[in-house]
């Protein structure tokens, strides 16, 4: 038996309550263990798309499957355990009184023992370099500190699929480098939305380019990003890092 794709979208359409049609028929398939970037200009539909992957938004039309199973009301709790989503805005992720409580929230809900929760939360905060903030209220952190803690809340849940919406924004160069190492060491399925195309080149062999709620390109990252006309036509630029790479390397 073949393994079902980790993530599969079939003709996904989504309109917000005010009528804005953000996704207009998106179909894609991500295999288990793949690392894929979703890129595109502001308003392309990237955040709308990834919020469907853990049932935060539900398709107006079409289907989203995770591990072969369609997301529906009955499966959404299971899907949220399998797919960890780091939101673009950390304020959507952090709501407890302390950093520790936010990072412990997911594991606690899984019914782990207090010792196991402590261990998971501590390890996740250590991995993002934010353990020293464990007692601080999240809403009083700097933008980059919030981002790192939001990433820790998802790591603490040990998801099978990691979905991150602009994970490197607001991180300082050291925090960004730490994030790249962290993501590289994570060999599960990854979907990364980012305007940081240099990070994408380092982490994702495949990229999907979105514009106006449709996929305009899907293929090898270096090939897509080297296509200057394609990049410029969709609000992007050829990243500088590619100028230093051998075209076939
Ligand atoms: N809550 C909302 N209500 C109505 N329209 C929305 C809402 N959120 C987003 N949109 C619209 O949906 C479209 C897609 O937005 P989305 O946030 O998915 O873009 P994005 O690709 O993530 O952009 P960015 O790079 O700026 O984060 C845009 O036209 C946006 O104005
Ligand atoms: Mg977005």
């Amino acid at each position: 038996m073949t393994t079902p794709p980790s993530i599969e979208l079939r003709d996904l359409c989504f309109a917000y309550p005010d009528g804005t049609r953000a996704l207009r028929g998106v179909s894609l398939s991500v295999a288990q263990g793949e690392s894929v970037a979703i890129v595109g200009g502001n308003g392309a539909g990237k955040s709308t798309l990834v919020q469907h992957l853990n049932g935060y938004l539900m398709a107006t039309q079409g289907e989203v499957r995770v591990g072969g199973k369609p997301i529906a009301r009955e499966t959404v709790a299971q899907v949220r355990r399998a797919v960890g989503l780091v939101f673009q805005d950390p304020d959507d992720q952090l709501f407890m009184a302390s950093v520790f409580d936010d990072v412990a929230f997911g594991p606690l809900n899984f019914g782990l023992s207090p010792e196991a929760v402590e261990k998971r939360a501590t390890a996740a905060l250590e991995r993002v370099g934010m353990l020293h903030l464990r007692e601080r209220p999240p809403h009083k952190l700097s933008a980059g500190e919030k981002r790192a803690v939001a990433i820790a809340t998802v790591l603490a849940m040990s998801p099978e699929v990691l979905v991150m919406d602009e994970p490197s924004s607001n991180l300082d160069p050291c925090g960004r480098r730490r994030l790249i190492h962290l993501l590289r060491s994570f060999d599960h399925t990854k979907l990364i939305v980012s305007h940081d195309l240099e990070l994408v080149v380092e982490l994702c062999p495949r990229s999907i380019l979105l514009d106006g709620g449709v996929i305009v390109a899907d293929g090898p990252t270096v090939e897509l990003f080297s296509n200057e006309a394609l990049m410029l036509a969709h609000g992007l630029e050829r990243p500088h890092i590619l100028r230093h790479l051998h075209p076939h390397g």
Side-chain angles (χ1 to χ4, degrees), residues 16-18 20-22 40-49 88 165-166 193 195 210:
Y16 283 100
D18 70 356
T20 305
R21 290 176 63 206
N42 294 132
K46 306 179 299 294
S47 295
T48 307
L49 192 161
Q88 183 165 11
D165 196 346
E166 299 293 353
V193 172
H195 292 300
L210 212 61

Side-chain angles (χ1 to χ4, degrees), residues 90-102:
D91 290 335
D92 288 339
Q93 202 121 34
L94 307 173
F95 49 87
M96 301 293 280
S98 77
V99 163
F100 181 83
D101 288 348
D102 256 324

Side-chain angles (χ1 to χ4, degrees), residues 147-167:
R147 166 84 44 209
V149 172
I151 292 170
T153 65
V154 169
L155 294 178
M157 293 164 69
S158 303
E160 290 158 34
V161 178
L162 201 49
V163 182
M164 294 195 170
D165 196 346
E166 299 293 353

Side-chain angles (χ1 to χ4, degrees), residues 7 34-39 45-54 82-90 93 124 127-128 146-169 171 175-176 178-196 199-200 203-204:
I7 289 173
E34 240 191 316
S35 182
V36 179
I38 299 180
V39 298
K46 306 179 299 294
S47 295
T48 307
L49 192 161
V50 294
Q51 287 175 47
H52 281 80
L53 302 179
N54 74 344
V83 180
L85 170 63
V86 177
F87 285 87
Q88 183 165 11
D89 182 354
Q93 202 121 34
R127 290 186 84 181
V128 299
K146 278 187 192 174
R147 166 84 44 209
V149 172
I151 292 170
T153 65
V154 169
L155 294 178
M157 293 164 69
S158 303
E160 290 158 34
V161 178
L162 201 49
V163 182
M164 294 195 170
D165 196 346
E166 299 293 353
S168 66
S169 68
L171 293 183
R176 177 180 175 277
R178 194 187 295 121
L179 173 74
I180 290 174
H181 286 307
L182 187 76
L183 290 175
R184 206 178 268 139
S185 70
F186 189 88
D187 53 13
H188 299 302
T189 312
K190 286 181 284 256
L191 234 86
I192 302 173
V193 172
S194 193
H195 292 300
D196 182 347
L199 170 140
V200 169
L203 290 175
C204 304

Side-chain angles (χ1 to χ4, degrees), residues 39 195-198 201 209 221-248:
V39 298
H195 292 300
D196 182 347
L197 300 184
E198 317 240 327
V201 169
L209 172 55
T221 298
V222 173
E223 219 171 283
L224 247 71
F225 289 8
S226 304
N227 185 340
E228 201 133 29
L230 177 77
M231 296 295 273
L232 290 174
H234 300 286
L236 303 176
E237 281 179 345
R238 180 180 171 194
H240 200 252
I241 192 174
L242 289 186
R243 299 184 197 281
H244 306 297
L245 287 181
H246 188 273
H248 306 292

